[in-house]
Amino acid sequence: MTQRENIIECASRMFVTQGVKAVRMDDIAQELSMSKRTLYELFGDKEELLYQSLLHFLIEGQRRRNEQCGNVENSLEVMLLCLRDMIAYAPVSSRLRTNLKRFYPSVFERLENDAHANSVSDLRRWVKECVASGYFTATADSELVIRVLQDSVQGIMLADKLDTADTVHMVSKITYAIVIFIRGLCTVSGIEVIDRCFDKYFGNIPSIDTL
């Protein structure tokens, strides 16, 4: 691992766990036992390091999902497994997006473009593969599916921040919204996959009735 890669990995971990505003260049330099000058020589300013670090966080998420799906051949199961991983990180992603938009809007815009392009590409591929495999009905429109899923997740994230008295966890709400929507796209064989995989991948999601 190069020095630059080591810095990005360390800074990514710090930004994600401690907050994009709270972590200073001095903190990163101290954590890595190097001078702050080295950080500025390599990245120019905090915003560039922040962008590279959170881009690394996004790329690591893709790598993790690819690794989890390595031995899964069923296209719908792959989609469910990847969505489960995205849902698990939804609270972290929501916090990062909120703080980036507030404190570092230019970094927010750059990362939103990167994340949107990657998520749309993945969703489009999954939907088309599920239609081709007979798990989704032939009428499933990939672009419309993408829009509904994205709007649903963003709407739940926004409502979660506004309604502080809501006792239902964000992860639970996103899980049920997505799984119910996807189940509605399924053929009989697709529904069988959903029912078989729900406990396997979503069984540890708290029930709305128990919260």
Side-chain angles (χ1 to χ4, degrees):
M1 183 181 293
T2 67
Q3 183 184 46
R4 182 183 176 86
E5 291 170 340
N6 187 47
I7 292 170
I8 289 173
E9 184 175 276
C10 177
S12 174
R13 183 172 62 252
M14 294 177 71
F15 285 132
V16 170
T17 58
Q18 299 176 37
V20 298
K21 182 67 172 176
V23 177
R24 304 168 303 162
M25 295 292 268
D26 297 87
D27 300 321
I28 298 169
Q30 182 176 359
E31 181 70 19
L32 291 163
S33 300
M34 65 172 54
S35 69
K36 188 167 64 172
R37 178 181 177 180
T38 301
L39 295 180
Y40 281 106
E41 287 176 347
L42 287 170
F43 298 96
D45 56 27
K46 179 183 175 179
E47 289 204 1
E48 183 60 26
L49 177 54
L50 178 59
Y51 169 72
Q52 294 295 336
S53 299
L54 294 185
L55 182 61
H56 171 77
F57 175 70
L58 293 176
I59 292 171
E60 279 298 295
Q62 285 189 310
R63 182 201 60 76
R64 182 180 59 251
R65 290 188 288 274
N66 289 337
E67 188 175 282
Q68 291 173 350
C69 297
N71 297 320
V72 180
E73 296 181 358
N74 183 306
S75 56
L76 180 52
E77 189 171 349
V78 167
M79 183 178 186
L80 293 172
L81 183 55
C82 290
L83 288 173
R84 175 63 181 87
D85 182 82
M86 292 177 180
I87 290 169
Y89 280 84
V92 173
S93 299
S94 179
R95 173 173 52 81
L96 288 172
R97 292 179 74 251
T98 298
N99 290 329
L100 281 172
K101 190 172 184 178
R102 180 180 179 185
F103 299 114
Y104 303 98
S106 62
V107 177
F108 172 79
E109 291 296 332
R110 293 173 69 186
L111 285 168
E112 281 290 285
N113 290 334
D114 293 328
H116 179 76
N118 289 333
S119 64
V120 166
S121 176
D122 286 340
L123 286 168
R124 185 180 291 119
R125 184 181 73 255
W126 294 333
V127 172
K128 290 182 177 179
E129 288 178 354
C130 286
V131 171
S133 300
Y135 296 125
F136 285 176
T137 63
T139 57
D141 184 309
S142 60
E143 302 308 314
L144 191 56
V145 169
I146 290 168
R147 184 61 182 270
V148 171
L149 286 174
Q150 290 180 328
D151 287 355
S152 298
V153 171
Q154 290 177 9
I156 291 171
M157 286 181 172
L158 178 60
D160 191 81
K161 288 196 285 284
L162 296 176
D163 188 0
T164 56
D166 192 350
T167 58
V168 181
H169 197 278
M170 180 196 299
V171 169
S172 296
K173 289 185 283 188
I174 293 175
T175 298
Y176 282 94
I178 287 180
V179 172
I180 289 171
F181 173 68
I182 291 176
R183 201 174 191 276
L185 301 171
C186 287
T187 59
V188 173
S189 59
I191 290 174
E192 291 174 353
V193 174
I194 293 277
D195 292 344
R196 173 171 55 82
C197 291
F198 188 84
D199 286 339
K200 182 178 181 180
Y201 296 133
F202 302 96
N204 60 339
I205 299 293
S207 168
I208 290 178
D209 297 330
T210 62
L211 293 176

